[in-house]
Amino acid sequence: MIAPRCALLGALVTAAACAPRGAPGPGFLVPPPRSIAPPSACDVPGDAAAAPDTLSVAVPGAVDPAHAPVPVTGGERVLFRQLYETLLRLDCEGRLHPALAAAWSTPDGGRTWTLTIADSARFWDGVPVGARDVIAAWGTAISAVAESTAATGDHTLTVRWRRPAPEGPVAIADPALAVAKRVPGIAWPIGTGAYWVSGVTADLTAAPVGGARRPVLRWRPAGGDQRDLLDAGVDLLVTDDPGAVAYAATRADFSSVPLPWDRTYVLLAPVPVRAPAPILEDLARHAVRVEARPASPPFWWQDSTCGAGPPPGTASIVRSGSAIVFVQGDAVARDLADRLVALSLDAQPRRAVGVLPEALAGRLAARGDDWFVVSVPRTALDACAAWSPGLWGSGITPLLDVRRRMLVRHGGARLSIDWDAVPRIR
Amino acid sequence: MTFRTRVLLAFAPVVLVPLLVFGIGVRRAVRDRLAAQYQRRVDALVAVIEEDLTQRSRSVGDRLGALTAAALEDNHLRAAAVQAVDRQYLLDYAGSAMRLAGLDMLQIQDANGRIVSSGHFRQEFDRLEPALPRLLATAPGGVALVRARTPEGAFLALARVDSLRLGGGRFTVVGGLAVDSAALARLARDSTLRVDLEYPGGVLASRASDTTAADEIVGEVPLAFVDGDSARLAPARIVVTAPLTALADVRRSMDVGFLVAVLATVAAAMLLGGWLASRVTRPLADLAETARRVDLERLDVAFGSERPDEIGALARLLGEMTERLRAGAARLRDTERRAAMGDLARQVNHDVRNGLAPLRNVLRHLVRVAREEPDQLPHVFAERQTTLESSLAYLETLATNYARLYPETRATPCDVNEVVRETLRLVAPPDGVRVDTTLADSLPRVRADAFVLRRILENLVRNAVEAIDGAAGAVTVTTEQRGGDGGSVRVTVADNGKGMTRPELERAFDDFYTTKPGGTGLGLSIVRRLVLDLNGSVKVETQPGQGTTFFVELPGEP
């Protein structure tokens, strides 16, 4: 049982590491939900009077329709959020908002939730979204957090959770549970979001569904020097490049909006590694070249209600190596690994070794005495779903929290920030 | 040990020793020349490496000089280094500068030896390595091999040190170029040479070591070595090695070629020696075989030879000696014959007397009767007539037998072919036996009694027919001329009968020796005696089960 779970987690971490920042994980989070709330700090004020017809957006990370509706890269994470809607939406402060579902209630203190789909919920092709459509779209993804689902009416369905969720059915907001349907011969699944898209070219155009008064999204590839994007007329750039952020600071027509801390870099080792605060401060300030801070608790993997118990001892640890492993392409992980080599925290000579994302899970399974620097989501909608003794049955030392920034051209569209630091066009 | 074996054994050292001396000499000369050639190449490469190191050191120094000059002009760096403003810029400075300068290693330290920026290992900032710039400054030529750390492991660099002052503080700048296997391989240039860098704790090789090379020629370039944590300079060296594998290959090829040459030479020597020994010993063996047949009873062997050399002379000497022996033997036979004649005469005398004694007695009796009793004479004569007749018959038989033993000869020029034909007319072969003739034309006549000659041939042909022993077979009578005018005539009587064994052959010409029931054992003895009386010779070749061939050679009439 351990091996599959380990593989699952390995894939999760791999996918997370592939992305520059902010891979969504199943699961979650902290503040208790409230129902429909007034505008909050999650809303990025825009110039309503400007109401631009077009919004040029650039987010690092390639976009592949084959992944839809579950994003893999950073670019997909932002684009798919506009294309594929979930039943409920969770904002950056942990508040639930209606999305495809207009109402939700529980008869048993949060173990079972009944959701009512809004009459206005439509696929891009105008077909109303029904309860069976939702369950079909979820497929097996829902089983990670729910014991069962059932359509109790054309527009009502019930979900029985594995653990009581008295704070609300927040797991429904996981983008892995976005509602879409695949149609043979069409590259993009038919979505339920505010925008729809067609074509598979690099320069995508996402148009508002139903002629809503929203700007058309021009999706720009974000390769190369991101400062060039700002000069080329991009209205919204999501980035962690300090050069681009610094350059935007010199531009009067751009605002720099920090997104929530969405990723945490942790050190996995056979036994917990002692990392004093000055070292964490040193890592955050000098070792990495992104916006970072010493990792700040609480951490969702410390949720003791999952019953996983304390990490196992080290008796079964086989000392087979002395590397600090990171995923190639993750510059932050590499800088951290390099710095840990220089610091020699355990007085054992180590060397930094980069592995391909797909090789990380195997390396984790046979890690021996290796250390691993990996990034995990800062929040998880369901901690137990993400818990894996095979992966986490060792010392986890949180190192850094990182976040990205939105560089927004003045007069652009209004935005709001979801629970996983993904912006949504309002 | 035969003469042939001695000749063959003598050939081996005669041929092999010079070949071995030649081969060893060539081998040594090739080795010396190749070794000298490799030594020159190693020395040349050592000189090239020394020059290359000098140029690299100068290049590193020039680049560090340019970097320090640029650093002095960089106010952003000054602010970061002196006023601790924007430390990220300072931390990244060495990396950018290192790439711009084309260096593989760059480290900036403050006056306390603390790394404030590292190009090859950005994250090693704040590490203390005060000994490194100090040791580099004291290294010969200001250059040393440095083991530099990176997150992935250590690497070696040929490094120098420079310094600059910022805001009253002194900073040292250590920069260098990587020295790895590829760099050593580039230094080696020649794939037959290997360049290794030996330093405390390790060896860096330009290529995999050739473990099969037993011999190598070595040259070296000394270097100073600084480990990041060490407090003093240590020796290192670049070793240029020329494995003499090419020499080993040449040697191997030479050895193979030499072995082939030795084998070929030995084979040729054996063949040549065998041929020469055969050429020398075969006539000698023939002479020995011929001489072996010579004895007083068989002096009809011929030692004739046309060779102009010593062997020919020896053969002629043996021939002359045999001729003298033959003459002596003839005299001896004549003596023997006379002795035999005496014996025969005495025997005849005895036999005749034995035959005459009854006659004399009868005659005396008849005389006495005629004188004393004349009337009884017819009666007594009739009574003694039987005695008279038996005595006379005895005497007639005696005469016949003696006549057969030694017939009278009358030598005249005789046509051998005619005698052969006449003889074969008288011989009636049994059924299944065919008698063939091959008679040469224009044969010289021989001086002989035709009756004797016929008797010789008759004996030989009858023997041949009887040797076939009732089975199917053939007897061939051949005549031919030997030598030129006035030469000899050879008559050959061959059969494919039972042949003779060696003991039978040795006694074939003995008197009264026979293998045939009822035989007298006188046939071949008489043949031999008659042939010798004609100054001829008789020779026999036989093989048990395959037949016998008699050669009768008679001197021709001049």
Side-chain angles (χ1 to χ4, degrees):
Chain A
M1 187 62 190
I2 288 175
R5 297 178 72 178
C6 179
L8 176 65
L9 252 294
L12 169 67
V13 174
T14 301
C18 288
R21 309 287 158 261
F28 172 54
L29 143 92
V30 211
R34 300 163 202 153
S35 24
I36 304 172
S40 68
C42 296
D43 296 334
V44 178
D47 186 355
D53 295 332
T54 302
L55 196 64
S56 179
V57 181
V59 182
V63 173
D64 185 352
H67 295 157
V70 182
V72 174
T73 68
E76 290 173 351
R77 208 161 288 122
V78 177
L79 177 61
F80 292 0
R81 188 60 50 91
Q82 322 308 320
L83 305 180
Y84 303 102
E85 192 59 275
T86 51
L87 291 188
L88 299 175
R89 187 163 59 81
L90 195 64
D91 69 13
C92 68
E93 294 181 320
R95 293 179 300 185
L96 275 173
H97 297 264
L100 294 179
W104 55 97
S105 61
T106 176
D108 54 7
R111 187 62 184 266
T112 303
W113 283 90
T114 300
L115 297 110
T116 303
I117 299 171
D119 293 337
S120 59
R122 292 282 193 281
F123 288 102
W124 296 342
D125 55 5
V127 176
V129 177
R132 289 180 180 78
D133 296 326
V134 173
I135 293 174
W138 285 348
T140 58
I142 190 67
S143 62
V145 291
E147 288 179 354
S148 63
T149 57
T152 54
D154 289 341
H155 290 84
T156 58
L157 67 157
T158 59
V159 180
R160 180 172 175 79
W161 303 107
R162 294 187 180 279
R163 292 195 303 164
E167 70 278 16
V170 292
I172 295 287
D174 189 330
L177 301 179
V179 178
K181 60 180 181 184
R182 283 209 170 269
V183 176
I186 298 179
W188 291 91
I190 305 297
T192 50
Y195 284 88
W196 71 280
V197 68
S198 62
V200 291
T201 58
D203 290 318
L204 293 170
T205 298
V209 174
R213 189 174 176 277
R214 294 171 184 269
V216 172
L217 301 183
R218 304 281 186 195
W219 204 262
R220 301 285 302 273
D225 191 335
Q226 295 179 2
R227 291 173 297 186
D228 293 341
L229 294 172
L230 301 182
D231 292 335
V234 163
D235 300 307
L236 171 63
L237 173 64
V238 178
T239 183
D240 59 0
D241 179 7
V245 173
Y247 180 64
T250 65
R251 298 276 299 265
D253 53 343
F254 274 96
S255 297
S256 177
V257 180
L259 292 170
W261 303 98
D262 63 326
R263 308 288 305 171
T264 299
Y265 280 87
V266 299
L267 174 64
L268 304 180
V271 293
V273 177
R274 183 174 172 273
I279 287 182
L280 296 180
E281 188 68 30
D282 168 87
L283 293 176
R285 291 187 59 198
H286 302 132
V288 299
R289 284 163 278 194
V290 297
E291 192 169 353
R293 71 178 185 188
S296 177
F299 304 109
W300 58 266
W301 56 86
Q302 293 174 336
D303 183 350
S304 62
T305 61
C306 293
T314 60
S316 62
I317 297 299
V318 178
R319 290 185 173 270
S320 61
S322 56
I324 299 180
V325 181
F326 61 94
V327 173
Q328 292 177 5
D330 188 339
V332 176
R334 174 173 189 132
D335 282 339
L336 288 173
D338 290 357
R339 185 57 181 161
L340 292 173
V341 169
L343 292 174
S344 296
L345 291 181
D346 64 345
Q348 179 180 351
R350 293 181 180 274
R351 59 191 179 87
V353 175
V355 298
L356 294 172
E358 54 269 26
L360 180 65
R363 189 84 187 226
L364 277 167
R367 60 189 162 188
D369 193 34
D370 288 343
W371 290 4
F372 295 81
V373 176
V374 297
S375 73
V376 296
R378 172 75 188 148
T379 56
L381 293 178
D382 188 320
C384 293
W387 184 270
S388 170
L391 176 62
W392 306 113
S394 57
I396 305 175
T397 305
L399 300 175
L400 301 179
D401 292 335
V402 297
R403 68 178 178 187
R404 297 169 297 166
R405 282 181 175 266
M406 286 192 304
L407 303 180
V408 185
R409 189 183 297 274
H410 294 163
R414 293 177 300 160
L415 303 165
S416 63
I417 310 301
D418 279 355
W419 64 277
D420 52 358
V422 173
R424 179 189 292 268
I425 310 293
R426 285 192 289 151
Chain B
M1 186 181 293
T2 63
F3 178 72
R4 180 177 298 190
T5 306
R6 289 171 190 268
V7 170
L8 291 179
L9 289 179
F11 254 81
V14 168
V15 172
L16 288 181
V17 168
L19 196 60
L20 285 172
V21 171
F22 173 75
I24 292 171
V26 169
R27 210 166 180 267
R28 181 173 300 170
V30 168
R31 184 201 180 286
D32 292 344
R33 291 197 177 194
L34 274 179
Q37 183 181 350
Y38 274 88
Q39 186 64 60
R40 285 195 296 273
R41 290 165 65 182
V42 167
D43 293 343
L45 184 55
V46 166
V48 168
I49 290 174
E50 288 175 338
E51 177 63 23
D52 190 278
L53 290 178
T54 302
Q55 287 188 1
R56 283 174 187 244
S57 171
R58 191 179 301 128
S59 173
V60 171
D62 292 344
R63 297 180 204 191
L64 289 181
L67 280 178
T68 53
L72 288 173
E73 299 298 323
D74 190 337
N75 288 333
H76 199 163
L77 175 66
R78 179 181 294 272
V82 178
Q83 301 171 21
V85 175
D86 194 357
R87 193 176 180 195
Q88 288 282 3
Y89 181 80
L90 179 60
L91 293 177
D92 290 334
Y93 182 83
S96 302
M98 184 183 78
R99 286 187 290 276
L100 283 173
L103 294 172
D104 300 309
M105 172 203 178
L106 186 65
Q107 192 180 84
I108 302 174
Q109 295 186 5
D110 64 12
N112 298 320
R114 186 173 59 90
I115 298 171
V116 298
S117 185
S118 173
H120 56 278
F121 188 4
R122 179 189 186 274
Q123 305 296 355
E124 69 170 344
F125 57 85
D126 289 342
R127 178 183 167 86
L128 286 172
E129 281 189 1
L132 178 59
R134 178 175 54 77
L135 292 175
L136 277 174
T138 60
V143 63
L145 196 66
V146 172
R147 177 156 40 204
R149 299 174 72 213
T150 72
E152 295 81 15
F155 72 97
L156 298 174
L158 192 69
R160 296 183 65 95
V161 63
D162 204 338
S163 65
L164 73 159
R165 299 192 71 83
L166 290 173
R170 182 174 180 276
F171 292 83
T172 56
V173 182
V174 176
L177 294 170
V179 179
D180 53 13
S181 295
L184 293 179
R186 284 193 296 274
L187 283 175
R189 292 183 174 90
D190 186 343
S191 62
T192 61
L193 300 180
R194 195 177 73 240
V195 178
D196 298 337
L197 174 57
E198 297 179 0
Y199 59 95
V203 176
L204 197 62
S206 61
R207 60 184 172 85
S209 175
D210 183 1
T211 54
T212 61
D215 300 327
E216 20 180 67
I217 292 175
V218 176
E220 62 180 59
V221 179
L223 277 175
F225 176 76
V226 183
D227 199 345
D229 300 324
S230 63
R232 59 187 177 83
L233 290 172
R237 60 179 189 160
I238 293 177
V239 181
V240 179
T241 306
L244 297 182
T245 49
L247 176 58
D249 293 341
V250 170
R251 278 181 169 176
R252 198 173 299 116
S253 299
M254 286 175 58
D255 289 345
V256 171
F258 185 66
L259 182 61
V260 170
V262 166
L263 292 175
T265 304
V266 166
M270 295 290 284
L271 290 174
L272 183 61
W275 179 74
L276 285 176
S278 174
R279 291 266 299 176
V280 171
T281 58
R282 184 175 298 162
L284 292 175
D286 291 344
L287 283 177
E289 176 62 21
T290 305
R292 193 183 61 78
R293 298 201 304 269
V294 172
D295 59 29
L296 284 177
E297 297 298 324
R298 295 179 192 170
L299 293 170
D300 52 345
V301 294
F303 285 96
S305 174
E306 302 297 329
R307 299 171 63 105
D309 54 9
E310 293 83 349
I311 294 174
L314 176 60
R316 286 188 289 275
L317 282 175
L318 287 173
E320 291 169 6
M321 186 180 72
T322 307
E323 193 62 34
R324 288 194 297 273
L325 280 174
R326 189 180 295 151
R331 286 193 298 273
L332 182 59
R333 274 199 305 276
D334 190 51
T335 304
E336 285 179 344
R337 187 180 299 135
R338 281 196 290 272
M341 289 290 286
D343 292 343
L344 186 60
R346 283 188 289 276
Q347 183 66 36
V348 169
N349 179 51
H350 173 73
D351 292 343
V352 170
R353 282 177 185 275
N354 287 342
L356 291 176
L359 291 176
R360 183 179 296 116
N361 291 336
V362 170
L363 185 58
R364 284 176 182 171
H365 184 201
L366 290 174
V367 168
R368 187 177 56 83
V369 169
R371 187 177 61 239
E372 295 175 359
E373 297 173 278
D375 56 334
Q376 291 295 321
L377 184 59
H379 173 71
V380 172
F381 182 78
E383 187 180 348
R384 300 298 298 272
Q385 185 178 359
T386 305
T387 302
L388 289 174
E389 288 175 350
S390 65
S391 294
L392 290 173
Y394 165 76
L395 288 174
E396 284 177 353
T397 303
L398 193 66
T400 301
N401 283 344
Y402 280 119
R404 287 182 60 195
L405 184 63
Y406 200 84
E408 184 182 2
T409 62
R410 291 184 299 276
T412 58
C414 187
D415 184 349
V416 175
N417 284 345
E418 184 56 35
V419 174
V420 169
R421 293 188 193 97
E422 185 181 349
T423 302
L424 294 183
R425 277 196 297 271
L426 298 176
V427 175
D431 293 340
V433 177
R434 190 180 74 252
V435 178
D436 300 324
T437 57
T438 304
L439 306 179
D441 296 331
S442 304
L443 276 181
R445 292 173 178 272
V446 298
R447 176 164 287 279
D449 186 330
F451 174 76
V452 169
L453 193 54
R454 193 178 68 198
R455 194 173 176 195
I456 290 170
L457 291 173
E458 189 179 304
N459 269 301
L460 292 177
V461 172
R462 287 189 191 282
N463 270 350
V465 169
E466 290 168 3
I468 293 173
D469 203 15
V475 175
T476 304
V477 181
T478 306
T479 60
E480 59 181 323
Q481 180 178 0
R482 305 276 289 177
D485 291 340
S488 60
V489 174
R490 170 180 276 189
V491 181
T492 304
V493 180
D495 68 71
N496 56 0
K498 60 185 180 182
M500 289 184 280
T501 63
R502 185 83 184 176
E504 289 172 345
L505 175 64
E506 289 178 349
R507 299 195 59 193
F509 293 99
D510 290 352
D511 291 339
F512 308 113
Y513 174 75
T514 181
T515 59
K516 295 176 288 190
T520 61
L522 290 172
L524 288 179
S525 172
I526 290 171
V527 166
R528 180 167 170 273
R529 186 171 297 125
L530 295 178
V531 170
L532 291 176
D533 286 347
L534 296 176
N535 291 323
S537 65
V538 61
K539 192 171 69 173
V540 60
E541 292 179 355
T542 183
Q543 193 73 26
Q546 295 186 5
T548 304
T549 302
F550 285 91
F551 303 93
V552 175
E553 195 161 334
L554 300 171
E557 178 77 359

